[in-house]
Amino acid sequence: MQGKAAAVDRYHHGDLRAALIAEALDAVERLGPDRLSLRQLALAVGVSPAAAYHHFKDKRMLLAAVVAEGYCDFTALMRQLSRGADEPKERLARLGLAYLRFALARPQLFRLMQGPAFLGTDLPADLLTARGESGALLSDCVRDCLPGAGDAQIKTAVAAAWSLVHGMATLCNDGRLDALLDTGDLESATAAITRQLDVSRVLDR
Amino acid sequence: MQGKAAAVDRYHHGDLRAALIAEALDAVERLGPDRLSLRQLALAVGVSPAAAYHHFKDKRMLLAAVVAEGYCDFTALMRQLSRGADEPKERLARLGLAYLRFALARPQLFRLMQGPAFLGTDLPADLLTARGESGALLSDCVRDCLPGAGDAQIKTAVAAAWSLVHGMATLCNDGRLDALLDTGDLESATAAITRQLDVSRVLDR
DNA sequence: AAAGGATCTTGACACTGTTAAGATCAATGC
DNA sequence: GCATTGATCTTAACAGTGTCAAGATCCTTT
């Protein structure tokens, strides 16, 4: 009847906000963003259905906190996997791989993050900064790949790279590329695609 | 209190199934897939809340019918816009443009079509065939672009083209490329990206 | 005209997010 | 030490949702 941690059965939870976010993240990755109710969340944490409203304005805002944490993990993975790549081209490839790896490792969280409910600017600051950080990671890398290129060209290059990897991520995530690629071996799959598009040659120019 | 058509106030609606699908399509494009209730739909059509269950097993299945119609319009647009392009390369470009144009013209419907609820195989046959048709349209075109290529290479080429255009569509749709591209002028935007990726050269190969 | 099947309604159930009003606790100021 | 205050949580309720069983109504077939 009470939460997993089964803390002392006191009136005040202690750190309900963090507990709710953690439980929500777990539920999202287990059940998907849609079938996820605040009441079940509250039950799992061992608290009344209305308790969450003292820490979040909305169900949406609670999920926004989850999304923010997701973006933190996202950029962390990209940083980790791209560390140690001296050449910008190599780093860009690893960034894309990290993008895909994250999407396939945590598909439901990735879906939530791309959900249309978290696009506007009426969102917590940590979400906006976390998302901006991941975007800057890609932008900077592309800029390093195209030294001496104009701003417009860099922008289109960012758009191209982002679109390609994002499309792969979402399509893979939904199993729609299963008949076309070996989505189990991400490295060779992306290598085949970039080879097909001759990306490396473009980045050399 | 009654539907838009305001048909005679008789017990049997006449063609409730089609009316529900039409109203659902309208509501999806107006409000988005999420805030859309069967009850409001029934009210708008002038029928009781439970009436829909005599024509659809689920709310999901009603939306599946909407999605199927969406895919019909989708392939129709692709056919229309690619008509009259004799060279396969040119046809592929127009197919991609149609993909983008559809996504931006009917963003909410496009979102619904890509929703995770309509991925499995437990779906009405018309949806599956309509979706397969749109996929075949792309596959065949890519095959024509790469005469004499092996099956594996064609598959990766399809995956590459699809991923790129799908990523552009979803990102544009969510306004995430607004700072990078002029999404108002699709032609030049996609031209810039394909030039960046040197796609035409790859297709010449 | 009677039977039967398709279609729609009524009424209910079990949920959901959300809010207002009250209960409980921790900490602050005197 | 003790009352007050503000934060935190609960209770109870409201409006709305998808869904189903049982009954009403109509069309069609015989």
Short mmCIF file of all heavy atoms in Angstrom, two decimals, chain C residues 10-22:
data_model
loop_
_atom_site.label_atom_id
_atom_site.label_comp_id
_atom_site.label_asym_id
_atom_site.label_seq_id
_atom_site.Cartn_x
_atom_site.Cartn_y
_atom_site.Cartn_z
P DT C 10 -31.27 8.76 -24.72
OP1 DT C 10 -32.42 9.67 -24.83
OP2 DT C 10 -29.90 9.27 -24.77
"O5'" DT C 10 -31.43 7.91 -23.37
"C5'" DT C 10 -32.16 6.70 -23.41
"C4'" DT C 10 -31.84 5.82 -22.20
"O4'" DT C 10 -30.83 4.86 -22.56
"C3'" DT C 10 -31.31 6.53 -20.95
"O3'" DT C 10 -32.13 6.16 -19.84
"C2'" DT C 10 -29.87 6.04 -20.80
"C1'" DT C 10 -29.91 4.71 -21.52
N1 DT C 10 -28.61 4.30 -22.15
C2 DT C 10 -28.11 3.05 -21.90
O2 DT C 10 -28.65 2.24 -21.17
N3 DT C 10 -26.94 2.78 -22.55
C4 DT C 10 -26.24 3.62 -23.40
O4 DT C 10 -25.19 3.27 -23.93
C5 DT C 10 -26.83 4.91 -23.62
C7 DT C 10 -26.17 5.90 -24.52
C6 DT C 10 -27.99 5.19 -22.99
P DG C 11 -31.99 6.92 -18.44
OP1 DG C 11 -33.29 6.79 -17.77
OP2 DG C 11 -31.40 8.25 -18.66
"O5'" DG C 11 -30.94 6.02 -17.64
"C5'" DG C 11 -31.10 4.62 -17.60
"C4'" DG C 11 -29.87 3.96 -17.06
"O4'" DG C 11 -28.86 3.84 -18.10
"C3'" DG C 11 -29.19 4.70 -15.89
"O3'" DG C 11 -29.05 3.81 -14.80
"C2'" DG C 11 -27.85 5.14 -16.46
"C1'" DG C 11 -27.61 4.07 -17.52
N9 DG C 11 -26.68 4.47 -18.58
C8 DG C 11 -26.63 5.69 -19.22
N7 DG C 11 -25.70 5.76 -20.13
C5 DG C 11 -25.09 4.51 -20.08
C6 DG C 11 -24.01 3.99 -20.84
O6 DG C 11 -23.36 4.54 -21.72
N1 DG C 11 -23.71 2.68 -20.47
C2 DG C 11 -24.37 1.97 -19.49
N2 DG C 11 -23.95 0.73 -19.28
N3 DG C 11 -25.38 2.44 -18.79
C4 DG C 11 -25.68 3.71 -19.13
P DA C 12 -28.62 4.36 -13.34
OP1 DA C 12 -29.48 3.67 -12.36
OP2 DA C 12 -28.51 5.83 -13.37
"O5'" DA C 12 -27.14 3.76 -13.19
"C5'" DA C 12 -27.01 2.36 -13.35
"C4'" DA C 12 -25.61 2.04 -13.87
"O4'" DA C 12 -25.34 2.80 -15.07
"C3'" DA C 12 -24.47 2.39 -12.93
"O3'" DA C 12 -24.09 1.24 -12.21
"C2'" DA C 12 -23.35 2.88 -13.85
"C1'" DA C 12 -23.94 2.74 -15.25
N9 DA C 12 -23.54 3.77 -16.20
C8 DA C 12 -24.04 5.03 -16.31
N7 DA C 12 -23.49 5.74 -17.27
C5 DA C 12 -22.55 4.89 -17.81
C6 DA C 12 -21.63 5.04 -18.86
N6 DA C 12 -21.49 6.16 -19.56
N1 DA C 12 -20.83 3.97 -19.15
C2 DA C 12 -20.97 2.85 -18.43
N3 DA C 12 -21.80 2.59 -17.43
C4 DA C 12 -22.57 3.66 -17.16
P DC C 13 -23.16 1.38 -10.88
OP1 DC C 13 -23.57 0.30 -9.96
OP2 DC C 13 -23.19 2.79 -10.46
"O5'" DC C 13 -21.70 1.06 -11.42
"C5'" DC C 13 -21.50 -0.08 -12.24
"C4'" DC C 13 -20.09 -0.05 -12.80
"O4'" DC C 13 -20.03 0.84 -13.94
"C3'" DC C 13 -19.04 0.45 -11.80
"O3'" DC C 13 -18.00 -0.50 -11.70
"C2'" DC C 13 -18.56 1.77 -12.38
"C1'" DC C 13 -18.85 1.60 -13.87
N1 DC C 13 -19.10 2.89 -14.57
C2 DC C 13 -18.36 3.20 -15.72
O2 DC C 13 -17.53 2.39 -16.13
N3 DC C 13 -18.59 4.38 -16.36
C4 DC C 13 -19.52 5.22 -15.88
N4 DC C 13 -19.71 6.36 -16.54
C5 DC C 13 -20.27 4.92 -14.72
C6 DC C 13 -20.04 3.77 -14.10
P DA C 14 -17.09 -0.48 -10.35
OP1 DA C 14 -16.97 -1.87 -9.85
OP2 DA C 14 -17.54 0.61 -9.45
"O5'" DA C 14 -15.69 -0.06 -10.98
"C5'" DA C 14 -15.29 -0.64 -12.21
"C4'" DA C 14 -14.26 0.26 -12.87
"O4'" DA C 14 -14.92 1.39 -13.47
"C3'" DA C 14 -13.21 0.84 -11.90
"O3'" DA C 14 -11.92 0.66 -12.46
"C2'" DA C 14 -13.60 2.30 -11.79
"C1'" DA C 14 -14.18 2.55 -13.17
N9 DA C 14 -15.07 3.71 -13.25
C8 DA C 14 -16.00 4.10 -12.33
N7 DA C 14 -16.64 5.20 -12.66
C5 DA C 14 -16.10 5.55 -13.88
C6 DA C 14 -16.36 6.61 -14.76
N6 DA C 14 -17.26 7.56 -14.53
N1 DA C 14 -15.62 6.66 -15.89
C2 DA C 14 -14.71 5.71 -16.12
N3 DA C 14 -14.39 4.66 -15.37
C4 DA C 14 -15.13 4.64 -14.26
P DC C 15 -10.65 0.73 -11.43
OP1 DC C 15 -10.02 -0.60 -11.49
OP2 DC C 15 -11.06 1.32 -10.14
"O5'" DC C 15 -9.68 1.77 -12.15
"C5'" DC C 15 -9.89 3.17 -11.93
"C4'" DC C 15 -9.80 3.89 -13.25
"O4'" DC C 15 -11.11 4.26 -13.67
"C3'" DC C 15 -9.01 5.20 -13.15
"O3'" DC C 15 -7.67 4.96 -13.48
"C2'" DC C 15 -9.70 6.07 -14.20
"C1'" DC C 15 -11.11 5.54 -14.28
N1 DC C 15 -12.17 6.39 -13.65
C2 DC C 15 -12.59 7.56 -14.28
O2 DC C 15 -12.06 7.87 -15.36
N3 DC C 15 -13.55 8.32 -13.70
C4 DC C 15 -14.08 7.93 -12.53
N4 DC C 15 -15.04 8.70 -12.01
C5 DC C 15 -13.67 6.74 -11.88
C6 DC C 15 -12.71 6.01 -12.45
P DT C 16 -6.51 5.86 -12.77
OP1 DT C 16 -5.20 5.31 -13.15
OP2 DT C 16 -6.87 6.02 -11.35
"O5'" DT C 16 -6.69 7.29 -13.49
"C5'" DT C 16 -6.51 7.40 -14.89
"C4'" DT C 16 -6.98 8.76 -15.38
"O4'" DT C 16 -8.40 8.88 -15.16
"C3'" DT C 16 -6.40 9.92 -14.60
"O3'" DT C 16 -5.15 10.27 -15.16
"C2'" DT C 16 -7.46 11.01 -14.84
"C1'" DT C 16 -8.75 10.23 -15.01
N1 DT C 16 -9.71 10.34 -13.89
C2 DT C 16 -10.53 11.44 -13.79
O2 DT C 16 -10.51 12.34 -14.59
N3 DT C 16 -11.39 11.42 -12.72
C4 DT C 16 -11.50 10.43 -11.75
O4 DT C 16 -12.30 10.51 -10.83
C5 DT C 16 -10.61 9.32 -11.93
C7 DT C 16 -10.64 8.18 -10.94
C6 DT C 16 -9.77 9.32 -12.96
P DG C 17 -4.15 11.17 -14.26
OP1 DG C 17 -2.83 11.11 -14.93
OP2 DG C 17 -4.28 10.75 -12.86
"O5'" DG C 17 -4.74 12.64 -14.40
"C5'" DG C 17 -4.75 13.27 -15.67
"C4'" DG C 17 -5.43 14.62 -15.60
"O4'" DG C 17 -6.74 14.46 -15.00
"C3'" DG C 17 -4.71 15.65 -14.75
"O3'" DG C 17 -4.81 16.93 -15.37
"C2'" DG C 17 -5.46 15.60 -13.42
"C1'" DG C 17 -6.88 15.28 -13.85
N9 DG C 17 -7.63 14.54 -12.84
C8 DG C 17 -7.28 13.37 -12.25
N7 DG C 17 -8.15 12.93 -11.38
C5 DG C 17 -9.15 13.88 -11.41
C6 DG C 17 -10.36 13.95 -10.67
O6 DG C 17 -10.80 13.16 -9.83
N1 DG C 17 -11.11 15.09 -11.00
C2 DG C 17 -10.72 16.03 -11.92
N2 DG C 17 -11.55 17.06 -12.10
N3 DG C 17 -9.58 15.98 -12.61
C4 DG C 17 -8.85 14.88 -12.31
P DT C 18 -3.99 18.14 -14.75
OP1 DT C 18 -3.79 19.19 -15.78
OP2 DT C 18 -2.82 17.58 -14.07
"O5'" DT C 18 -5.01 18.71 -13.68
"C5'" DT C 18 -6.28 19.18 -14.14
"C4'" DT C 18 -7.11 19.64 -12.96
"O4'" DT C 18 -7.60 18.50 -12.22
"C3'" DT C 18 -6.36 20.51 -11.94
"O3'" DT C 18 -6.82 21.84 -12.08
"C2'" DT C 18 -6.72 19.91 -10.58
"C1'" DT C 18 -7.84 18.92 -10.90
N1 DT C 18 -7.91 17.72 -10.04
C2 DT C 18 -9.03 17.52 -9.28
O2 DT C 18 -9.98 18.29 -9.29
N3 DT C 18 -9.01 16.37 -8.52
C4 DT C 18 -8.00 15.44 -8.45
O4 DT C 18 -8.10 14.45 -7.73
C5 DT C 18 -6.84 15.71 -9.26
C7 DT C 18 -5.68 14.76 -9.24
C6 DT C 18 -6.85 16.83 -10.01
P DT C 19 -6.14 23.02 -11.22
OP1 DT C 19 -6.16 24.23 -12.06
OP2 DT C 19 -4.87 22.54 -10.65
"O5'" DT C 19 -7.18 23.22 -10.02
"C5'" DT C 19 -8.55 23.35 -10.31
"C4'" DT C 19 -9.38 23.28 -9.04
"O4'" DT C 19 -9.40 21.92 -8.55
"C3'" DT C 19 -8.84 24.15 -7.89
"O3'" DT C 19 -9.85 25.06 -7.49
"C2'" DT C 19 -8.50 23.14 -6.79
"C1'" DT C 19 -9.39 21.95 -7.13
N1 DT C 19 -8.86 20.65 -6.65
C2 DT C 19 -9.65 19.86 -5.84
O2 DT C 19 -10.78 20.17 -5.51
N3 DT C 19 -9.07 18.68 -5.45
C4 DT C 19 -7.80 18.23 -5.77
O4 DT C 19 -7.39 17.16 -5.36
C5 DT C 19 -7.03 19.11 -6.62
C7 DT C 19 -5.65 18.72 -7.02
C6 DT C 19 -7.59 20.25 -7.01
P DA C 20 -9.50 26.31 -6.57
OP1 DA C 20 -10.11 27.49 -7.21
OP2 DA C 20 -8.06 26.31 -6.24
"O5'" DA C 20 -10.31 25.98 -5.24
"C5'" DA C 20 -11.69 25.64 -5.34
"C4'" DA C 20 -12.21 25.18 -3.99
"O4'" DA C 20 -11.72 23.85 -3.71
"C3'" DA C 20 -11.79 26.04 -2.80
"O3'" DA C 20 -12.89 26.16 -1.89
"C2'" DA C 20 -10.62 25.26 -2.20
"C1'" DA C 20 -11.03 23.82 -2.48
N9 DA C 20 -9.91 22.89 -2.63
C8 DA C 20 -8.75 23.10 -3.32
N7 DA C 20 -7.92 22.07 -3.29
C5 DA C 20 -8.58 21.13 -2.54
C6 DA C 20 -8.25 19.83 -2.13
N6 DA C 20 -7.09 19.23 -2.46
N1 DA C 20 -9.14 19.15 -1.37
C2 DA C 20 -10.29 19.75 -1.05
N3 DA C 20 -10.72 20.98 -1.37
C4 DA C 20 -9.81 21.61 -2.12
P DA C 21 -12.79 27.10 -0.62
OP1 DA C 21 -14.10 27.76 -0.49
OP2 DA C 21 -11.55 27.89 -0.71
"O5'" DA C 21 -12.63 26.06 0.59
"C5'" DA C 21 -13.52 24.96 0.66
"C4'" DA C 21 -13.11 24.01 1.78
"O4'" DA C 21 -12.02 23.18 1.33
"C3'" DA C 21 -12.62 24.71 3.05
"O3'" DA C 21 -13.18 24.08 4.18
"C2'" DA C 21 -11.11 24.55 2.99
"C1'" DA C 21 -10.98 23.21 2.29
N9 DA C 21 -9.71 23.03 1.58
C8 DA C 21 -9.02 23.97 0.86
N7 DA C 21 -7.90 23.52 0.35
C5 DA C 21 -7.85 22.21 0.76
C6 DA C 21 -6.90 21.19 0.55
N6 DA C 21 -5.79 21.34 -0.16
N1 DA C 21 -7.15 19.99 1.11
C2 DA C 21 -8.27 19.83 1.84
N3 DA C 21 -9.23 20.71 2.11
C4 DA C 21 -8.95 21.90 1.53
P DG C 22 -12.90 24.69 5.65
OP1 DG C 22 -14.18 24.66 6.38
OP2 DG C 22 -12.14 25.94 5.52
"O5'" DG C 22 -11.94 23.59 6.29
"C5'" DG C 22 -12.47 22.29 6.53
"C4'" DG C 22 -11.34 21.30 6.70
"O4'" DG C 22 -10.38 21.47 5.62
"C3'" DG C 22 -10.52 21.42 8.00
"O3'" DG C 22 -10.51 20.16 8.64
"C2'" DG C 22 -9.15 21.84 7.54
"C1'" DG C 22 -9.11 21.24 6.15
N9 DG C 22 -8.12 21.85 5.27
C8 DG C 22 -8.15 23.13 4.75
N7 DG C 22 -7.12 23.39 3.99
C5 DG C 22 -6.38 22.22 4.00
C6 DG C 22 -5.16 21.91 3.35
O6 DG C 22 -4.48 22.62 2.62
N1 DG C 22 -4.75 20.60 3.63
C2 DG C 22 -5.44 19.72 4.42
N2 DG C 22 -4.90 18.51 4.58
N3 DG C 22 -6.58 20.00 5.03
C4 DG C 22 -6.98 21.26 4.78
#
